[in-house]
Amino acid sequence: MMSEISRNGATGGGQPGRIGIGLELDEIHMKILEVLRENGRISVAALAERVGISRANAYTRFEALRADGAIKRFTAEIDHVRTGLGITALIFVTVRQQMWKQFRAELARMPEVEYCAITTGQHDAMIQVRVSDVAAVHTMVTDRLANIPAVKATETVFILDEVLKRPYVLPSDRDQAARAQRRPTPETQGDVPLGKMRFVGAAEGRAALRKDT
Amino acid sequence: MMSEISRNGATGGGQPGRIGIGLELDEIHMKILEVLRENGRISVAALAERVGISRANAYTRFEALRADGAIKRFTAEIDHVRTGLGITALIFVTVRQQMWKQFRAELARMPEVEYCAITTGQHDAMIQVRVSDVAAVHTMVTDRLANIPAVKATETVFILDEVLKRPYVLPSDRDQAARAQRRPTPETQGDVPLGKMRFVGAAEGRAALRKDT
DNA sequence: GTTGAAATTAGTACGAA
DNA sequence: TTCGTACTAATTTCAAC
């Protein structure tokens, strides 16, 4: 039902961290992942053909990727609107320090939470919830989250539209985007003042896009 | 590579909207989705057994769910750290009104973007990116996003840890959480001041959890 | 909506390159 | 390692109930 997933170690960049433990991923492994993220139910035989290796090899690599953990699981993407959970919201949570364990434990008891990440910045965590109506969001925030001592404050935002959702990003995508990257002149930074990445004041002229709460 | 997905219509709650078009989802359909989101590669035969229906019935329903769009696709969940994309960041974007089309078009050209949602609140959109190191985030924001005229401002936040990621939330989960919901007293709102859901000031005593930019 | 049997396909094992 | 083949087991299809 729930799953602990890899720590990022956002300081990263330097040490290889957990990378390299287990098998080395070559180009063919990446190709396999590429196919599998688009069609998780493809047969290994068809996979072998699309990647250009023998069936036996495909079975070996497929199993290796699974055993190594590079492939964590296979899943079905579901249309939430069709299943009656058409409302999606993001709740930014400020957590009392040293009460993280409790916060995590409570999260596990909330099935409407699809995703939770610990973030830098103004808040400590972001959770994404899927519910049937806007009232359920309010209930969730005021009744359930508010009852967790670890939660100091929240800020809720509704998702109006999910524009893009890629199955899973892979490094090989970068290569395909190489040409897309060649644009007028990289030096010309346009008219957008983005020197610092954080806390660029961004509250102006967006009176629209606001229909709730 | 990219996929347009369902509009939420956050006003929701009232009209059934797109729900009901196509097939009615009964309890068994939900059970099927439940199994499939956890194990997208299970055989239909095994699925039938776990759900408690005949194989022929399972095939019929499986195909119906696929055709109807309730199941959008099957995908493999990949360990990003193992594939070399260990850094995850959220970029909140303020978009110039009436330049949304351009913004979306540019998004499609950025393979490092895994997710993009249009939100209410302080910003207009949130995008999630996966890259190999923190420098790549900076490059992405200053070189690529800054060059899009539609982008007025951005605010970047790093994800330090992904605590929870459910394959896909279903309404049936709510039922299982019914008992979890029974807690001391729902009226006792604890010590958290959460009357309004939005813009509860949340900048205090979180000096830690900050290692970047 | 179910069961059971045929046809097809998937998964395994092993020797050769 | 990877490939090709033969073998075994399982799945999917299609029929009748």
Side-chain angles (χ1 to χ4, degrees):
Chain A
M1 190 65 119
M2 95 168 254
S3 60
E4 293 286 335
I5 47 186
S6 62
R7 269 105 229 253
N8 271 338
T11 44
Q15 302 92 321
R18 215 191 257 92
I19 309 176
I21 283 190
L23 79 164
E24 290 279 316
L25 300 181
D26 60 21
E27 204 177 273
I28 292 169
H29 284 120
M30 288 301 177
K31 262 186 159 180
I32 291 174
L33 294 179
E34 222 166 292
V35 173
L36 248 25
R37 70 177 179 167
E38 281 168 17
N39 182 4
R41 272 185 86 87
I42 194 173
S43 72
V44 181
L47 175 68
E49 196 184 18
R50 281 190 57 177
V51 172
I53 56 176
S54 72
R55 283 204 313 153
N57 193 356
Y59 275 106
T60 306
R61 286 166 174 274
F62 181 89
E63 200 37 59
L65 286 168
R66 244 184 171 301
D68 186 66
I71 297 173
K72 290 197 276 197
R73 72 179 141 193
F74 292 93
T75 189
E77 270 189 34
I78 286 155
D79 187 324
H80 301 291
V81 176
R82 277 241 176 44
T83 58
L85 295 178
I87 303 300
T88 308
L90 300 176
I91 306 171
F92 298 91
V93 183
T94 307
V95 180
R96 284 185 216 284
Q97 297 308 311
Q98 288 154 342
M99 293 185 88
W100 277 101
K101 205 175 294 180
Q102 188 204 41
F103 178 66
R104 284 170 185 245
E106 289 298 327
L107 265 189
R109 307 176 75 185
M110 299 183 197
E112 49 275 271
V113 175
E114 178 170 297
Y115 180 72
C116 173
I118 296 173
T119 66
T120 63
Q122 208 177 347
H123 306 97
D124 299 319
M126 181 188 84
I127 71 180
Q128 185 183 40
V129 300
R130 304 234 181 230
V131 290
S132 56
D133 49 69
V134 282
V137 177
H138 186 253
T139 305
M140 163 106 203
V141 173
T142 57
D143 289 2
R144 309 212 58 203
L145 280 173
N147 276 325
I148 305 173
V151 173
K152 200 189 291 181
T154 67
E155 185 175 330
T156 304
V157 147
F158 283 89
I159 289 183
L160 301 174
D161 192 4
E162 296 184 285
V163 178
L164 175 66
K165 187 169 200 162
R166 295 218 174 82
Y168 280 100
V169 180
L170 288 175
S172 48
D173 294 330
R174 286 236 53 151
D175 310 334
Q176 297 169 16
R179 77 185 87 76
Q181 203 142 205
R182 318 218 189 300
R183 316 195 52 249
T185 23
E187 299 91 284
T188 312
Q189 291 238 152
D191 53 342
V192 189
L194 291 173
K196 298 293 174 278
M197 286 194 294
R198 199 93 77 60
F199 298 131
V200 176
E204 183 200 348
R206 17 125 210 80
L209 272 182
R210 196 80 65 96
K211 307 199 61 177
D212 45 80
T213 306
Chain B
M1 189 66 118
M2 96 169 255
S3 60
E4 294 285 335
I5 48 188
S6 64
R7 270 106 230 251
N8 271 338
T11 43
Q15 304 91 321
R18 216 191 255 92
I19 308 176
I21 282 190
L23 80 164
E24 290 279 314
L25 300 180
D26 61 20
E27 206 179 90
I28 293 170
H29 284 118
M30 288 301 177
K31 263 185 158 182
I32 292 174
L33 294 178
E34 223 167 291
V35 173
L36 249 26
R37 70 177 178 167
E38 281 168 16
N39 183 3
R41 274 184 85 86
I42 193 172
S43 72
V44 181
L47 176 67
E49 196 183 18
R50 283 190 56 176
V51 172
I53 55 175
S54 70
R55 281 157 303 152
N57 192 356
Y59 276 104
T60 306
R61 286 166 175 274
F62 181 89
E63 200 36 60
L65 286 168
R66 243 185 173 301
D68 186 66
I71 297 174
K72 289 197 275 197
R73 71 179 141 193
F74 292 94
T75 189
E77 269 190 34
I78 286 155
D79 187 326
H80 301 291
V81 176
R82 279 240 175 44
T83 58
L85 296 177
I87 303 300
T88 308
L90 300 176
I91 305 171
F92 298 90
V93 183
T94 306
V95 180
R96 284 185 216 286
Q97 296 308 312
Q98 288 154 344
M99 292 185 89
W100 277 100
K101 203 175 296 181
Q102 187 203 40
F103 179 66
R104 284 171 183 243
E106 289 297 327
L107 265 190
R109 308 176 73 183
M110 300 184 196
E112 49 275 271
V113 176
E114 179 171 294
Y115 180 71
C116 174
I118 296 172
T119 66
T120 63
Q122 207 176 349
H123 305 96
D124 299 319
M126 181 188 84
I127 72 180
Q128 183 184 41
V129 300
R130 305 235 181 228
V131 290
S132 55
D133 49 67
V134 282
V137 176
H138 186 253
T139 305
M140 163 106 202
V141 174
T142 57
D143 288 1
R144 308 211 59 203
L145 280 174
N147 276 325
I148 304 174
V151 173
K152 198 190 290 182
T154 67
E155 184 175 331
T156 304
V157 147
F158 283 89
I159 289 183
L160 301 174
D161 193 2
E162 294 184 287
V163 177
L164 176 65
K165 188 168 198 162
R166 295 220 174 82
Y168 279 100
V169 181
L170 288 175
S172 48
D173 295 330
R174 285 238 52 153
D175 310 334
Q176 295 169 19
R179 77 185 86 77
Q181 204 142 203
R182 318 220 189 300
R183 316 194 54 247
T185 24
E187 299 89 284
T188 312
Q189 290 238 151
D191 53 344
V192 189
L194 292 172
K196 299 294 175 276
M197 287 195 294
R198 198 92 79 61
F199 298 133
V200 176
E204 182 201 351
R206 19 126 210 79
L209 273 181
R210 195 80 63 97
K211 307 199 60 175
D212 45 80
T213 305

